[in-house]
Amino acid sequence: MTEAVAFDDAVALGVSYLRATFSSRSETATVAEKFRAGRHVRVMDGGGVRHNLVQDAPRLTFRCYAPTGEEAKGLHRLTRAVIGALEGETVGGVFVAQVLEVGNPGERTDPNTNLPYAEFTVELLIGGDPI
């Protein structure tokens, strides 16, 4: 019988990593799964597929909001850099073997809030746990 392997919540991993990294850099932007007012990074589930028996390849979209387009671009630049540095790190007991950027559409305006944002999407390669 093939071993059963479970994977951790990739969105929670992304939120936790960004919060800790921003805090260590004295960055004041908030990070969450839901939209927040002000300077903010929203981490969203972008799907993904299981890579093999013991590795998952979830996709995460990071949407960076700010009061102005320039501020949104700056937050996007910082977030993209620190997420790229996640490769090879262990977060909450989860090893991130690879970070592959799969989309970087750049600047937009949110139709619901009229706030500017910039976003990018990555695919992570993470390990699972036998259950």
Side-chain angles (χ1 to χ4, degrees):
M1 175 182 238
T2 301
E3 190 169 18
V5 178
F7 301 98
D8 288 287
D9 180 352
V11 172
L13 180 150
V15 168
S16 173
Y17 177 75
L18 267 186
R19 282 181 180 163
T21 303
F22 281 4
S23 178
S24 72
R25 293 173 170 268
S26 300
E27 170 55 55
T28 60
T30 59
V31 180
E33 295 178 41
K34 303 285 185 194
F35 175 79
R36 302 277 189 259
R39 191 173 163 83
H40 173 72
V41 178
R42 181 177 177 197
V43 183
M44 299 177 291
D45 183 346
V49 297
R50 187 176 190 151
H51 185 69
N52 57 39
L53 176 64
V54 297
Q55 292 178 309
D56 198 19
R59 287 187 176 195
L60 297 178
T61 296
F62 297 85
R63 185 170 288 174
C64 306
Y65 290 92
T68 70
E70 284 303 309
E71 288 177 275
K73 285 194 298 189
L75 184 56
H76 172 267
R77 182 175 183 265
L78 172 64
T79 304
R80 190 173 173 213
V82 299
I83 292 301
L86 179 57
E87 189 167 304
E89 296 293 322
T90 300
V91 179
V94 177
F95 178 69
V96 179
Q98 184 178 37
V99 177
L100 176 65
E101 188 170 289
V102 295
N104 188 11
E107 287 184 74
R108 299 224 163 100
T109 300
D110 187 304
N112 298 319
T113 64
N114 211 29
L115 286 173
Y117 70 87
E119 71 179 18
F120 65 99
T121 302
V122 298
E123 183 175 275
L124 304 177
L125 188 60
I126 61 173
D129 297 309
I131 56 170

